[in-house]
Amino acid sequence: MITVQRSSSGSSHSPRSSSSQPYLSISVTEPVKLGNGVQAYISYRVITKTNFPEYQGPEKIVIRRYSDFVWLRDRLFEKYKGVFIPPLPEKSTVEKFRFSAEFIELRRQALDIFVNRIASHHELQQSEDLRTFLQADEETMERLRSQETGIFKKKPADLMQIFKEMQTRVSDVVLGKEKPVEESNPEYEKLKNYIFELENHLSEAQKHAYRLVKRHKELGQSLSDFGKAAKLLGACEGHALGKAFSDLGTKSETLSVRLQKEAHQLLMNFEEPLKDYVRAVQSIKATIAERANAFRHQCELAETIKLKEINLDKLMLTRSDKVGEAELEYKELKAESEEATRRFENIVRVMNEEIVRFQDQKTQDMGIAFHQFAKGQSRLANNIADAWRSLLPKLEACLS
Amino acid sequence: MMGSENQGFEEAHIDASREEMESLVLDDPSNNSNGTKSFSHHRSAMSSLADSHHLLSRPMVAAPADSDPLLAPPSFRDFRNPNVAADNSSYIEPPSYADVIFSPFDENAVHEIDGVDSPGRSSDSSVSLSRSPSSSSDYIKITVSNPQKEQETSNSLVPGSNTYITYLITTRTNITGFNGSEFSVRRRFKDVVTLSDRLAESYRGFFIPPRPDKNLVESQVMQKQEFVEQRRVALEKYLRRLATHPVIRKSDELKVFLQVQGKLPLPTSTDVASRMLDGAVKLPKQLFGESVVVAPEEVVQPAKGGRDLLRLFKELRQSVTNDWVGSKPPVAEEDKEFLEKKGRMHDLEQQLSNASQQAESLVKAQQDMGETMGELGLTFIKLTKFENEEAIFNSQRVRAADMKNVATAAVKASRFYRELNAHTVKHLDTLHEYLGLMLSVHGAFSDRSSALLTVQTLISELSSLHSRAEKLEAASSKIFGGDKSRIRKIEELKETIRVTEDAKHVAIREYERIKENNRTELERLDRERHADFLNMLKGFVLNQAGYAEKIANVWAKVAEETSAYAREST
């Protein structure tokens, strides 16, 4: 839950507001499983606290489900071209884990971060769709959600197609092949390359982070098994030695529990932020695709206009009676072209701002994640050291 | 009993490897300013050499603040690191296990100083239980090396077909029973089998360390370097274990094996087997009532047991958790205390097997942890480089710096996990060792059972002989004037009875002797196992604590460096 100010800098770390300062603060809570069988889903309680005048009141509680969040994301993506829309957690493909406690908690956390990022973005926070999402009743929401077909909904397949085209275009440029409908902006090229490479690096890092979580679980399990075996061996031996084994066994089991806890923390506070980073980069790729579309549209219109101009001149020379019609068409096209150019230039402008914001935010996000990671590891190691050390006095006594 | 393999380490090539480790040290300026940290890092780098050598790691507990921890205790000063004193003069800290130096243990240094042949796992400051009262100043150190291919000189139809490997066996000792203090012989594996068989005969009832497996493989595999090296290691371990056994180390068989040049002058098993066969053939005849005299000296060896023992070793090695009772001939063992002890050994074996398995899993999990941590670190290093190269904004450079700290810590932690694991393996190996020793216990108990069987067989034979004699006498007395042929038979029978009585007495003495051997060996096993396990536990725990502290320090530093982010987040 991030308390935010309505500010032009788009900073997400404003101080806690007093009542005079504008604030919009949201929590996504209480996941509840609803429905049956294949139709089962999780619903969340979304609590909004705000003093923005556009909102219905200081507090509002609604019930939302994952696809409602998807609707919001898609609407924002359509309306705010150029903005790096905050990423959503993935849809779960594996049935088994869809309702596991860990998955539900991870998703809840990610959804909470999602809406709050929107609420702290100077442009997005003013979105009407956001207001709808935070305030509308469930029937309205359901209606809106089911309307989302075709135009706004970016199917995963479409996105994949766009990315594929993107990648070929990027590599073509890299290879020196010329494609006519491509921006020839070296800085922008650099940015695109950066984004693509960044995704590779981050995916690898996230993969290893996930493995590290697994390793903690495995070490915990093996310590538990070892502890049990030590206790049984101790029962065999008896006397001081038996007690020593038994103590060791107990300590091992304690540490096993500790390791499982740390594995969970690692998952929530280190692996998840890395995953989130990857998602953010993927969201940027979608924006890059949008920009490419806008640029292409602008170019196509410019081409069309040129042809129309030539045609018009021809008609005018021949004093054709089609001149009037053609002139009208030409005017319309000109207006369209100007609009397309405006839209494209807006995307460029917004993206330039967004990239600064993105880098700042990611440094913050990762800084926090690194801090949590290091603290967690350090605490864990200290716990482990303390636990083993506590066995030493007795062992020393036995040996003397 | 278990100390011999601890002596099984090669010389550590410290200097060359130390350079390697130091070149891997990540750029960490703060390390050098703090003498403590660089010292323990340096030291921990050295101890990573334990990976590929069979080195015993020994913790040197830091002494109290007012004394230089490196000079006390003197017997464990690391001779290869003269710089140490200079590094340490500036730091006075309370002893923590992070500063415990887990350094590889140089056996030569120990022998020259202590002259103790089985230093075991005891550290200097904490006394370990004395493991064998006689071994305080004498030692036998055996090395197996230099495998060479040799050829069977005679009896080969195809010239050059029969090749075999010999090993150079070098002994250093100050025990007086040997001729000299250092000598070498060349032996082949067959000789080891012979030695093992002869010891099994001479030392019935003792817990004789089991010899390495025969490995029935093709001659091509036999000559592969990996196999040869594996066998060399196994032979060395075996001979060292023999040398640690308080009774067997003084045996003639071992002396002869270690000293006599040329062909091993012990009867080979094929010679003995044929004798055994005769004995074995005779026993059933006795049982079925034919009057064949049993020479008293033959009862000293189990007739059936001689061959069974060899078979037993093989079977038991295959599956250590053999059904204890099922593989033995059903013998009426009257000693309740012994039966109890036997049951206890059975339980112990089971739990040892279980613990040994779990120890292996633990080691694997620790290894995996270290690996993944290292991979994570390397990935972040790559990311750092990438961000720095592509940086347009300052926020990127800041992030790159943060990432580098995490990466450095992860790589360090990864190294610590690997070092920790190398030590853990050595400590927990004690479990494996004692599990292997259970084979010897099986053998000794089976010696006892065989001896008892011999006694019981002779007793029942005597009883049937007596009843035959009685019958003959009764029948003969009915004939007036005597029955010449019957009287002759009675005389013969009485002679047989006398000889069998003697044999019975010999057999009983043998049985009692073996029982006594069992008893003293059990005591020794319990005593030594008690000490070894306590030391193992202590070593294990000390290592875990020490490395956990080192790892904690590494991460605490990063937490400190990123603490600004903690303050900012709500």
Side-chain angles (χ1 to χ4, degrees):
Chain A
M1 199 166 83
I2 305 168
T3 308
V4 298
Q5 269 185 333
R6 185 183 290 218
S7 65
S8 53
S9 68
S11 145
S12 58
H13 294 279
S14 21
R16 237 174 232 300
S17 54
S18 57
S19 51
S20 57
Q21 295 243 10
Y23 66 91
L24 173 62
S25 140
I26 309 166
S27 355
V28 178
T29 63
E30 283 181 41
V32 170
K33 185 173 170 191
L34 298 175
N36 289 311
V38 197
Q39 312 254 336
Y41 66 95
I42 305 282
S43 75
Y44 304 87
R45 222 159 166 245
V46 180
I47 305 170
T48 308
K49 295 196 171 102
T50 180
N51 65 356
F52 284 11
E54 299 87 349
Y55 281 77
Q56 291 165 6
E59 183 170 321
K60 185 82 185 189
I61 300 176
V62 294
I63 304 292
R64 293 287 177 257
R65 55 187 289 188
Y66 178 76
S67 32
D68 296 330
F69 288 83
V70 175
W71 171 89
L72 177 62
R73 192 269 315 268
D74 292 345
R75 298 288 300 191
L76 293 175
F77 183 75
E78 263 309 306
K79 291 242 172 79
Y80 292 89
K81 296 207 198 280
V83 173
F84 299 162
I85 309 295
L88 271 177
E90 297 85 8
K91 221 172 161 20
S92 165
T93 46
V94 185
E95 184 61 40
K96 192 162 68 138
F97 298 122
R98 214 150 59 92
F99 296 113
S100 78
E102 217 169 54
F103 178 77
I104 289 172
E105 175 54 23
L106 276 172
R107 180 170 268 199
R108 188 209 61 75
Q109 187 177 281
L111 292 174
D112 189 288
I113 290 173
F114 168 74
V115 282
N116 279 291
R117 278 189 180 141
I118 294 172
S120 63
H121 189 281
H122 64 283
E123 273 193 63
L124 298 178
Q125 69 184 199
Q126 299 173 35
S127 153
E128 197 185 310
D129 291 318
L130 177 65
R131 285 199 287 280
T132 308
F133 175 84
L134 293 174
Q135 300 181 118
D137 58 63
E138 279 158 75
E139 291 87 35
T140 312
M141 202 61 235
E142 200 182 319
R143 194 171 25 90
L144 289 169
R145 200 176 64 226
S146 53
Q147 278 175 6
E148 276 303 291
T149 49
I151 313 169
F152 293 136
K153 208 166 201 147
K154 280 276 186 291
K155 292 204 174 59
D158 299 335
L159 273 177
M160 274 315 299
Q161 183 60 28
I162 293 168
F163 292 160
K164 280 206 181 97
E165 287 172 27
M166 279 267 12
Q167 275 167 325
T168 42
R169 258 185 249 127
V170 170
S171 61
D172 282 345
V173 171
V174 167
L175 290 170
K177 287 192 212 162
E178 283 196 275
K179 289 273 171 165
V181 262
E182 200 46 39
E183 292 180 53
S184 56
N185 179 345
E187 260 178 43
Y188 184 57
E189 281 309 312
K190 202 164 170 246
L191 174 70
K192 281 192 280 181
N193 285 329
Y194 168 78
I195 291 295
F196 275 84
E197 253 199 86
L198 182 64
E199 189 187 2
N200 292 335
H201 283 293
L202 288 175
S203 295
E204 210 192 315
Q206 183 255 321
K207 199 175 60 167
H208 288 302
Y210 179 71
R211 277 207 207 119
L212 192 67
V213 171
K214 224 169 43 139
R215 299 301 186 212
H216 279 69
K217 287 186 179 158
E218 287 163 2
L219 186 60
Q221 183 60 51
S222 70
L223 263 175
S224 168
D225 294 337
F226 180 68
K228 290 197 177 73
K231 275 172 152 173
L232 286 172
L233 190 53
C236 241
E237 292 285 11
H239 308 300
L241 180 62
K243 186 78 177 40
F245 270 117
S246 169
D247 289 343
L248 184 93
T250 308
K251 270 297 177 260
S252 297
E253 289 178 325
T254 306
L255 285 176
S256 166
V257 172
R258 181 68 186 82
L259 273 160
Q260 298 295 350
K261 283 209 184 96
E262 189 61 33
H264 180 75
Q265 288 303 311
L266 213 54
L267 182 72
M268 308 291 291
N269 298 330
F270 184 62
E271 198 249 344
E272 182 61 19
L274 276 170
K275 240 188 173 160
D276 176 62
Y277 200 165
V278 174
R279 290 183 204 128
V281 171
Q282 286 167 345
S283 171
I284 295 176
K285 281 163 82 176
T287 306
I288 288 174
E290 273 301 309
R291 173 164 162 164
N293 280 340
F295 181 73
R296 218 196 348 243
H297 190 210
Q298 178 204 32
C299 289
E300 278 164 12
L301 279 173
E303 281 296 309
T304 314
I305 282 177
K306 273 210 205 99
L307 293 171
K308 285 283 185 218
E309 259 182 32
I310 294 169
N311 192 36
L312 187 63
D313 285 341
K314 244 203 313 201
L315 288 175
M316 280 174 90
L317 275 171
T318 62
R319 289 173 212 269
S320 161
D321 47 349
K322 295 209 182 106
V323 167
E325 211 185 297
E327 260 180 4
L328 212 62
E329 266 181 40
Y330 179 72
K331 272 207 185 78
E332 278 173 13
L333 267 175
K334 208 80 215 265
E336 252 190 78
S337 169
E338 276 159 24
E339 176 64 27
T341 306
R342 231 198 350 265
R343 266 195 242 122
F344 170 71
E345 282 169 0
N346 192 54
I347 290 178
V348 173
R349 181 186 58 80
V350 170
M351 271 187 84
N352 287 338
E353 286 172 16
E354 285 287 282
I355 194 70
V356 179
R357 187 186 63 86
F358 167 73
Q359 296 288 22
D360 280 341
Q361 181 172 67
K362 277 317 167 193
T363 301
Q364 274 300 119
D365 290 344
M366 289 319 293
I368 294 169
F370 289 150
H371 181 72
Q372 307 265 48
F373 177 49
K375 229 170 51 161
Q377 289 295 301
S378 148
R379 276 211 194 111
L380 174 70
N382 276 320
N383 288 161
I384 291 174
D386 289 341
W388 291 125
R389 244 191 271 119
S390 72
L391 290 176
L392 279 166
K394 262 207 205 141
L395 281 172
E396 304 267 7
C398 283
L399 282 166
S400 60
Chain B
M1 180 185 283
M2 297 310 307
S4 38
E5 64 278 6
N6 301 335
Q7 301 161 329
F9 24 82
E10 296 100 39
E11 308 276 271
H13 304 293
I14 299 294
D15 290 323
S17 309
R18 189 202 296 171
E19 278 170 59
E20 248 177 54
M21 281 311 281
E22 294 195 328
S23 66
L24 284 173
V25 171
L26 297 161
D27 187 11
D28 201 341
S30 59
N31 238 8
N32 298 326
S33 57
N34 184 342
T36 312
K37 288 210 168 85
S38 66
F39 174 71
S40 62
H41 181 87
H42 179 63
R43 282 320 198 90
S44 62
M46 278 174 54
S47 63
S48 73
L49 295 166
D51 274 359
S52 53
H53 304 281
H54 302 286
L55 292 164
L56 181 69
S57 60
R58 294 174 61 148
M60 278 163 61
V61 182
D66 54 347
S67 62
D68 185 337
L70 298 166
L71 296 178
S75 44
F76 298 102
R77 180 183 318 170
D78 189 325
F79 296 110
R80 295 163 301 242
N81 201 10
N83 312 329
V84 146
D87 272 348
N88 243 32
S89 52
S90 56
Y91 108 91
I92 304 170
E93 262 183 28
S96 85
Y97 292 109
D99 298 325
V100 170
I101 301 137
F102 301 108
S103 53
F105 184 67
D106 183 8
E107 52 170 314
N108 288 326
V110 173
H111 284 146
E112 279 143 31
I113 296 159
D114 294 345
V116 177
D117 74 315
S118 48
R121 297 153 192 81
S122 61
S123 65
D124 52 306
S125 51
S126 47
V127 181
S128 73
L129 298 177
S130 130
R131 295 173 74 238
S132 49
S134 62
S135 69
S136 52
S137 61
D138 55 7
Y139 67 90
I140 306 176
K141 190 197 144 193
I142 303 176
T143 328
V144 176
S145 60
N146 200 280
Q148 267 175 25
K149 212 195 299 188
E150 285 184 29
Q151 212 141 60
E152 203 92 69
T153 46
S154 58
N155 299 340
S156 47
L157 294 168
V158 183
S161 64
N162 245 345
T163 60
Y164 57 91
I165 307 280
T166 61
Y167 301 84
L168 184 68
I169 304 189
T170 312
T171 313
R172 272 168 47 187
T173 176
N174 66 353
I175 294 178
T176 46
F178 288 89
N179 309 335
S181 61
E182 185 163 344
F183 39 87
S184 302
V185 293
R186 280 216 155 258
R187 295 282 181 242
R188 58 184 289 189
F189 189 77
K190 250 195 205 170
D191 297 333
V192 176
V193 173
T194 306
L195 170 67
S196 161
D197 293 343
R198 299 293 77 76
L199 286 173
E201 285 163 11
S202 310
Y203 292 92
R204 298 177 73 204
F206 284 98
F207 297 169
I208 310 173
R211 64 156 169 78
D213 292 354
K214 268 190 189 162
N215 294 111
L216 298 172
V217 292
E218 303 180 345
S219 58
Q220 274 202 353
V221 180
M222 283 269 176
Q223 289 171 33
K224 272 224 172 89
Q225 195 180 0
E226 214 179 287
F227 176 79
V228 170
E229 176 56 19
Q230 239 177 49
R231 185 161 266 192
R232 186 199 65 75
V233 169
L235 288 179
E236 196 172 80
K237 265 196 182 173
Y238 171 62
L239 291 172
R240 285 180 176 183
R241 284 195 201 117
L242 290 181
T244 322
H245 193 292
V247 174
I248 290 178
R249 76 210 296 243
K250 301 197 183 121
S251 68
D252 292 332
E253 289 90 348
L254 184 62
K255 286 196 182 120
V256 154
F257 179 90
L258 293 174
Q259 291 184 121
V260 176
Q261 299 290 333
K263 189 163 178 291
L264 181 67
L266 292 174
T268 65
S269 303
T270 45
D271 303 339
V272 175
S274 49
R275 284 198 298 133
M276 286 294 118
L277 208 53
D278 294 335
V281 164
K282 282 179 189 151
L283 194 55
K285 281 187 183 160
Q286 294 157 20
L287 292 175
F288 291 124
E290 291 185 18
S291 54
V292 175
V293 177
V294 181
E297 66 271 11
E298 286 184 8
V299 304
V300 176
Q301 278 306 316
K304 232 178 130 207
R307 279 180 305 178
D308 274 356
L309 209 54
L310 294 173
R311 200 179 65 227
L312 207 61
F313 273 131
K314 222 184 245 182
E315 281 171 346
L316 284 172
R317 254 182 261 116
Q318 302 287 342
S319 58
V320 186
T321 53
N322 222 355
D323 180 2
W324 190 280
V325 174
S327 64
K328 291 290 155 294
V331 176
E333 176 61 67
E334 74 289 0
D335 189 342
K336 278 230 163 57
E337 201 187 307
F338 171 67
L339 284 172
E340 240 175 70
K341 287 214 180 93
K342 203 166 143 185
R344 199 164 60 80
M345 282 293 120
H346 179 48
D347 284 340
L348 181 66
E349 184 177 341
Q350 269 190 322
Q351 300 315 331
L352 268 179
S353 171
N354 184 29
S356 179
Q357 252 184 311
Q358 301 310 335
E360 267 182 49
S361 301
L362 178 63
V363 161
K364 172 115 200 334
Q366 265 178 188
Q367 186 183 314
D368 288 344
M369 177 72 92
E371 254 175 50
T372 301
M373 188 65 88
E375 284 166 355
L376 183 72
L378 287 176
T379 303
F380 275 127
I381 287 179
K382 279 195 278 180
L383 243 176
T384 301
K385 201 156 162 263
F386 172 69
E387 286 281 11
N388 270 326
E389 281 168 7
E390 305 282 328
I392 302 172
F393 304 100
N394 198 46
S395 54
Q396 284 173 281
R397 291 191 197 93
V398 170
R399 191 171 351 126
D402 291 335
M403 233 174 245
K404 187 164 184 223
N405 290 334
V406 172
T408 309
V411 171
K412 280 193 188 150
S414 155
R415 280 201 200 126
F416 284 143
Y417 271 111
R418 275 185 281 129
E419 278 174 34
L420 166 64
N421 220 23
H423 293 294
T424 304
V425 164
K426 263 164 252 123
H427 288 300
L428 296 183
D429 212 45
T430 312
L431 292 168
H432 295 302
E433 294 290 333
Y434 272 94
L435 187 59
L437 210 63
M438 288 293 124
L439 282 174
S440 318
V441 178
H442 280 258
F445 286 175
S446 118
D447 288 341
R448 181 188 176 126
S449 307
S450 309
L452 181 61
L453 176 65
T454 307
V455 168
Q456 288 167 339
T457 310
L458 287 169
I459 288 173
S460 79
E461 170 65 10
L462 270 173
S463 133
S464 76
L465 284 172
H466 276 298
S467 65
R468 270 170 60 195
E470 274 171 31
K471 281 193 190 123
L472 276 177
E473 277 178 347
S476 157
S477 69
K478 292 193 173 108
I479 299 175
F480 185 71
D483 182 331
K484 279 249 167 48
S485 80
R486 274 215 182 92
I487 287 171
R488 217 185 345 108
K489 273 202 187 119
I490 291 169
E491 285 308 316
E492 281 174 8
L493 212 49
K494 284 220 161 92
E495 178 58 27
T496 307
I497 287 172
R498 241 188 354 93
V499 174
T500 310
E501 274 284 343
D502 285 344
K504 184 191 85 169
H505 287 129
V506 170
I508 289 176
R509 267 207 316 274
E510 176 69 2
Y511 173 61
E512 293 296 329
R513 194 179 66 86
I514 290 175
K515 276 207 311 191
E516 181 57 23
N517 290 344
N518 276 175
R519 197 189 60 76
T520 53
E521 285 284 75
L522 270 171
E523 255 175 43
R524 187 173 68 90
L525 173 64
D526 281 346
R527 210 174 358 114
E528 292 185 0
R529 192 181 69 251
H530 184 88
D532 283 341
F533 277 175
L534 278 173
N535 275 310
M536 169 187 80
L537 291 176
K538 181 178 166 205
F540 172 75
V541 162
L542 206 56
N543 257 308
Q544 292 285 336
Y547 277 102
E549 264 188 51
K550 287 191 219 252
I551 290 170
N553 287 341
V554 154
W555 289 115
K557 186 153 163 273
V558 179
E560 174 65 40
E561 285 161 351
T562 54
S563 57
Y565 296 103
R567 284 196 291 273
E568 282 183 40
S569 71
T570 47

